Amino acid sequence: MAQPERNIEALLRFVDSRQRGGHAWGRRANDWCSFVIDAIEAQTGRNPAADLSWSNRAGALRVIKRFGSLEAAFDHYLVRIPPAQAMRGDIAGVADEAFGIHPMLVEGELLAAPGDKGLRRLPRRAMVMAWSAVLVRDEGDIAHARPSPGGDCA
């Protein structure tokens, strides 16, 4: 499978469209995971987690539980890279007490994710792990780790 290319203009339009939207739980809302998944789709045209769905915090927790952790879920769908190699549009993981990690979008020297009143930004040095938005994991690489089908986790 050919690796998708990064469309930075589309990514910038996406980020601009989410500047003022606060955090809201749900795959089609504006929570941390939805934000970074939608950012990947905006810049590459592919949705790496198209088979996942949730509509509230409890549903998101059920999805995470199927993988064992939020970090394991990201490892399942995306290719991990060294944080120093993360480029604009890649996904950063920052430490989070409740979820282990908090996914954020790499903007360059800043990381972004939905906060209470619009996008919240942290310095790049907060990143403890990263995943590529453009590298595609081969199905054979993840077949052993695929969780049972779960559909919608409302």
Side-chain angles (χ1 to χ4, degrees), residues 15 22 25 29-30 35 42 46 55 64 69 76 85 100 113 123 138 140 148 152:
V15 171
W25 289 101
N30 199 38
F35 176 78
R46 75 176 178 91
S55 58
I64 293 166
S69 69
H76 177 80
Q85 293 178 6
D138 290 329
S148 58
D152 185 30

Side-chain angles (χ1 to χ4, degrees), residues 49-61:
D51 61 325
L52 296 181
S53 181
W54 61 94
S55 58
N56 54 40
R57 185 178 195 275
L61 291 172

Side-chain angles (χ1 to χ4, degrees), residues 19-42:
Q19 285 291 356
R20 291 172 188 74
H23 185 278
W25 289 101
R27 176 59 196 99
R28 290 291 162 209
N30 199 38
D31 62 33
W32 306 330
C33 294
S34 296
F35 176 78
V36 297
I37 292 168
D38 291 347
I40 292 171
E41 190 169 15

Side-chain angles (χ1 to χ4, degrees), residues 6 11 13 17 83 118 126-127 141 146-147:
R6 232 181 266 270
L11 177 64
R13 284 191 303 273
S17 76
M127 182 179 1
D141 292 344
R146 184 165 292 287

Side-chain angles (χ1 to χ4, degrees), residues 109-128:
E109 291 303 312
L110 296 175
L111 311 174
D116 291 338
K117 297 177 181 178
L119 291 183
R120 172 180 168 236
R121 290 185 166 81
L122 294 177
R124 184 183 177 98
R125 69 179 173 274
M127 182 179 1
V128 296

Side-chain angles (χ1 to χ4, degrees), residues 51-100:
D51 61 325
L52 296 181
S53 181
W54 61 94
S55 58
N56 54 40
R57 185 178 195 275
L61 291 172
R62 281 191 289 277
V63 169
I64 293 166
K65 186 177 180 180
R66 288 194 347 239
F67 291 93
S69 69
L70 188 53
E71 180 180 348
F74 276 87
D75 283 340
H76 177 80
Y77 288 101
L78 302 174
V79 176
R80 195 182 287 228
I81 58 174
Q85 293 178 6
M87 299 173 56
R88 179 181 299 221
D90 286 334
I91 309 308
V94 300
D96 182 81
E97 267 186 45
F99 292 92

